[in-house]
Amino acid sequence: MTNLPVHGGDLALWSALRRHTQARIGLGRAGAALPTRHRLELQAAHAAARDAVHSPFAPDTVAAALPGTPTVRVRSAAPDRLTYLQRPDLGRRLHPTDRAHLPAGEWDVVFVIADGLSSRAVHEHAAAVVHATAARLDDTWRLAPVVLAEQARVALGDDIAHAMGAAAVVVLVGERPGMSAADSLGAYLTHAPQPGITTDAHRNCLSNIRPPLGLPYETAATKLTALLTRARELGHSGVDLKDETALTESAADQLPR
Amino acid sequence: MSYTSVLGGHRHRFENLARLLAAASPERSGDRLAGLAARSAQERVAARWALAEVPLTAFLTEPLIPYESDDVTRLILDGHDTAAFAPVAGLTVGEFREWLLSERADAAALAALAPGLTPEMVAAVSKLMGNADLVAVARKVRVVTAFRSTIGLPGRLATRLQPNHPTDDPAGVAAALLDGLLLGSGDAVIGINPATDSPRAVRDLLELLDGVIRRYAIPTQSCVLCHVTTSVDLMERGAPVDLVFQSVAGTQAANASFGVTLGLLDEAYEAALALDRGTVGRNVMYFETGQGSALSADAHHGVDQQTVEARAYAVARRYDPLLVNTVVGFIGPEYLYDGRQILRAALEDHFCGKLLGLPMGLDICYTNHADADDDDVATMLTMLGVAGASFVICTPGGDDIMLNYQSASYHDALYLRQVLGLRPAPEFEAWLASIGLLDEGGGIREVLGEAHPLTAIGRDLAA
């Protein structure tokens, strides 16, 4: 690949402009088309994203990264990846037999680790975010066992929290992979979720958790702790719950709801 | 009323027109998600047999969504032009397909017919058509609109230059803008999807684009794709708004989910007309649509996703838009699963919009969780080029770093113009020639090491 010729991309101007954008500018041409190097680079990025979408979730990997933390495994009602991608409604509902695995209790918050659209993001980042957030919550917070959810969308957390009697749910979910990032983790906080009634307007979101290029674990944990605390005081989460640590919600649309 | 047909020794019954249309639709994931799709391949064909027998007038007497509860239905029925409808008023849907494919349906006849057609009629006939039929008929329809450039002329293909940036960084936007201009893109519009809808941020981008267009005397128009209420606010404050943008859908409830009413659109349309910023035309609106938006808003009223999409075009045509863009693979695989479904939807939307008299273009795109790739983009682009699409959306390298999806690239538009002999909008083509970007064959000259006057756009902002 390094032997492929470089086209317009080596001009000083394009080098200067690339400091301002990751857009694929100044690629040069092969006739009307892209030079081979850039065509293959695009295919490589797309391949990474496709593999992230279709790699199977490995709950053992996540559980192993959470030593000493009790975990529970559940599936959504979507039986396989093909169905999951076409039926978001099934990804938002618990598998009927798995509901019984969830221990009910007086939980203040349950963390749900959901594969979403990138298992890779979850494998790489979810345990660290749970760990860092739990460390910041004082002993007034009763933490439920961490739920590892397969073929899961964000709203599956509503069903899980409801079944366990948890007052709030934080869903850590693999975001829809883009061409520049296939390992981006999102976090959705919902206070007092009600399955089928709660909408996205009732949630608060952090996205692009993926150090070193995206949001660091410590920052994400600080923001999540502040949001959880504020939601508990107000008795609700959602659009009117402002993050006073200035979080961005611009990427919220990319999360697999 | 209900509809029946017999196929494979079985009698198939469809309880009403909406169910019949849904069952007749080519397979797509969104109709399955909504529980509206045919339950078997044979049921689908049975529905088409029954649909072929339905008179076109049925769509005027049996509204899919009640007149009383939906302002899009009222817009469609109140605005129906009976005189224009006369040439096909006696036809069934099946006969209408044959009429459209016949030589009688030439460009003049189709243009005259447009006000007599409703979205439901064109959606219905599309369900009896193959992909080639959709191309053959759409190719005959020319819809010409203009602002500072003229869109939709025969033998022309315009492009939207889409220099998005995830934080609206001016230098980042300018870099992608320069890249597009040097590749001959931007004659339909230079349009940015902003990272936020804040009036201040939108205004900054409008000023940036307006500055470039003025400084280089580019015969095109800009648009920052914000909510219509933001545009109205900015126009009142004297911001340089060329085109008013809005996403629209095919039901009152789906439009409400976008925060839009016909009254708001009327107000914005009048305000944009009053600015009178066009030079060669007065088409001032830019609409985007896409199959799945009504279902996504839980506002489809049991109407299949292709038919409800066609109803959005009734909203668009009320405002004589410069551009209507169906963003065909954007929402995701739960609505259009793979390249095959996206292609079919692209051809349907283009066909339906054109028959209704709209300047249709496409964002030929896919997300990474759909089963599609850049080969699907090439296939779609080629078919839509042959079908006579007015414009396509183009991004640097086909990779939109703000919206995180893949679309056509500036290079793809060069390819399409090259293989089909299509040229840019005439005013823009003359401008490309004037700045030395047009080669002897009418193609875009490759700018290599030497400095081109346009590169000052990047140099200024990157400094």
Side-chain angles (χ1 to χ4, degrees), chain A residues 11 13 17 20-21 23-26 28-29 32-34 39 42 46 49-50 82 86 88-89 117 176-179 254, chain B residues 29 33 165 171-172 179 183 334 337 366 368-370 372 374 396-397 399 401 403-404 406 411 444 446 448 455 458 462:
Chain A
L11 295 179
L13 175 66
L17 291 175
H20 301 277
T21 181
R24 295 170 195 265
I25 54 172
R29 287 163 55 177
L34 286 174
R39 176 164 166 73
L42 277 162
H46 186 237
R50 294 293 290 159
L82 190 97
Q86 297 187 64
D89 54 326
L117 289 171
R176 194 180 95 192
M179 295 287 274
Q254 293 147 36
Chain B
S29 48
L33 179 61
H165 188 278
D179 191 45
L183 290 166
E334 60 268 45
Y337 179 68
Y366 61 97
N368 285 316
H369 58 320
D374 55 353
D399 172 16
I401 58 168
L403 297 171
N404 253 319
Q406 282 87 257
H411 295 74
I444 302 299
E446 187 171 0
L448 290 170
T455 56

